[in-house]
Amino acid sequence: MSPPPRPPPPGAPAEPAPTRLIDLGPGLERDREALRAAFDEVLASGSFVLGPHVERFERELASFCGVGHAVGVASGSDALELALRALGVGPGDAVVTSPFTFVATAEAIVHAGARPVFADVEPGAWLIDLEAVDGALSRLPRSPEGCRLLPGGERVRAIVPVHLFGAVVDAGGLAELASRHGLWVVEDAAQALGGSSAGRAAGAIGAAGCFSFFPTKTLGALGDGGAVVTDDERLARELRSLRQHGCVERGRVGERLGRNSRLDALQAAFLSARLRGLPGALEERRALRRRYHEALAGLGPEIAPLGPAEPCAGHAAALMVVRARRRDALARHLAARGVGAGVYYERPLHACAPYIDAPRLGPLAEAERAARESLALPLYPGLGPAAAARVAAEIEAFLRGGGP
């Protein structure tokens, strides 16, 4: 048995407390009373699946996003899949998306019965490269119905842009691309609730916007949950049917193939309670992100904050990600100094077994570079500017020779 560690000698400076990559504690403590009240309200109601608490949250979320409808579902993954299905995307269809994203994006396309098609990301914020997509699709023939056709015969019916780390894909560029090529736009906005582009909220740009309420998101539940937002009343009705076993109206289940993907009342009540504090939490996230940008500016070509010089214009600040040429060595240095850092995402999807044979709209070199260089730094409400400054100082020490 190892002896206990010796205490530092009198007068020695104390080691700084570890800084986690994500710490939900401060936010939950801030919301504790509101969450307890939400729990008691649901417990007293006796309504635990769908019902008035879900309906209230759906109205609040739709209002927050500036759209007519929100449909709560069981997860962000289900939100993507059901949105595609509700739009009629399925077997024989192809859906363009980014390979630099969480695997759920491509999984949803496959589970909807379609085939993912990968397009590269642009170097500025690692968002899908709309110009590259436009150029590649323009070279494809059209079907009699006007859809672009892949060499294998699949009809390109939709695009799923990923609003990555809180950055939102250009709304105007998406609209032009969709109009030119006859595409549905289904936004993967899991990391971008509260973000915007050209005055349009993330999720309100395309036919449907899909959110995850996984606890680490900008609006996190105390479990899992998701939602689709839309201005299309018909689409909202279809989504409500699909999430409830294909129910067309009360008592008529099974009229179409659906599934069980209901947002439960307790999570909806928690989300309503936390949504009220989201604007303040977003401002705190943006302030921390701006501080990182200022502290890391001018440290040389080995490291650079991801995104534009003005880091918070329309940004939801879900994560603070930097490009680091010696990413793995820097992560080890930070870990040794008690700083949490994480890799989003270690492998692009086209390098993952289920998607190796997926079609590509050209080379995917920038996505591969992103997978090599991406490193997320601590950022969450309650972190505080002093902790962010310490993380930046540790990075500077590494670059000046403090690391391998």
Side-chain angles (χ1 to χ4, degrees):
M1 183 175 178
S2 301
R6 295 182 179 180
E15 284 291 317
T19 302
R20 297 178 181 177
L21 173 62
I22 297 174
D23 188 349
L24 301 181
L28 291 173
E29 185 59 35
R30 188 177 302 175
D31 294 340
R32 179 182 294 273
E33 292 307 313
L35 293 171
R36 285 187 183 276
F39 178 86
D40 290 342
E41 183 182 308
V42 174
L43 192 65
S45 76
S47 177
F48 303 118
V49 178
L50 295 180
H53 295 95
V54 173
E55 292 167 4
R56 179 182 67 187
F57 173 65
E58 289 174 337
R59 290 192 300 271
E60 292 168 347
L61 180 64
S63 176
F64 184 88
C65 294
V67 297
H69 308 276
V71 180
V73 294
S75 68
S77 301
D78 278 4
L80 287 165
E81 178 188 341
L82 295 182
L84 289 167
R85 288 182 55 192
L87 288 166
V89 175
D93 295 335
V95 178
V96 177
T97 194
S98 166
F100 189 64
T101 177
F102 185 56
V103 68
T105 309
E107 276 181 342
I109 296 168
V110 173
H111 286 311
R115 194 174 190 193
V117 181
F118 295 125
D120 208 1
V121 296
E122 47 78 30
W126 292 333
L127 302 173
I128 193 166
D129 189 332
L130 298 178
E131 290 187 9
V133 173
D134 183 37
L137 291 181
S138 296
R139 292 189 288 271
L140 296 177
R142 289 188 185 269
S143 71
E145 301 82 18
C147 296
R148 296 292 182 177
L149 293 174
L150 294 179
E154 298 95 338
R155 300 163 298 182
V156 183
R157 296 280 310 283
I159 182 170
V160 177
V162 180
H163 302 319
L164 193 67
F165 308 143
V168 180
V169 178
D170 174 55
L174 270 175
E176 291 177 14
L177 180 73
S179 176
R180 189 174 298 124
H181 300 287
L183 303 175
W184 293 113
V185 176
V186 176
E187 302 166 63
D188 184 340
Q191 297 179 353
L193 182 60
S196 65
S197 172
R200 301 190 66 178
I205 297 168
C210 302
F211 294 107
S212 166
F213 303 122
F214 190 77
T216 58
K217 304 303 184 190
T218 56
L219 179 65
L222 273 64
D224 221 333
V228 183
V229 299
T230 182
D231 262 328
D232 186 330
E233 185 175 354
R234 183 208 64 80
L235 182 61
R237 285 199 307 270
E238 186 75 8
L239 286 162
R240 291 192 175 95
S241 171
L242 290 173
R243 75 175 176 185
Q244 179 84 324
H245 300 289
C247 181
V248 178
E249 58 187 54
R250 188 177 298 275
R252 291 183 61 196
V253 178
E255 294 294 317
R256 58 169 63 88
L257 181 63
R259 69 181 326 148
N260 179 358
S261 184
R262 300 174 296 219
L263 179 63
D264 71 70
L266 186 58
Q267 296 305 332
F270 288 153
L271 289 165
S272 283
R274 307 198 82 185
L275 183 61
R276 293 190 286 273
L278 181 58
L282 289 169
E283 285 308 307
E284 191 173 349
R285 286 177 174 275
R286 290 172 178 137
L288 288 167
R289 193 169 183 276
R290 185 177 286 111
R291 180 172 289 270
Y292 272 123
H293 271 251
E294 292 168 352
L296 298 175
L299 291 186
E302 285 216 18
I303 191 159
L306 192 65
E310 167 40 57
C312 298
H315 206 292
L319 292 164
M320 177 63 211
V321 175
V322 297
R323 321 166 64 110
R325 292 184 182 175
R326 292 187 288 157
R327 190 265 311 281
D328 295 340
L330 174 58
R332 290 193 296 270
H333 169 83
L334 292 174
R337 298 294 297 140
V339 174
V343 174
Y344 294 81
Y345 298 95
E346 195 166 17
R347 284 193 298 167
L349 295 187
H350 63 276
C352 297
Y355 310 108
I356 286 174
D357 295 327
R360 307 177 185 185
L361 297 181
L364 303 176
E366 194 62 39
E368 291 167 357
R369 178 188 173 196
R372 293 192 302 270
E373 296 186 352
S374 171
L375 187 68
L377 306 178
L379 188 149
Y380 49 86
L383 175 66
R390 179 192 161 225
V391 174
E394 289 295 348
I395 293 173
E396 185 174 3
F398 170 82
L399 295 175
R400 291 182 175 175

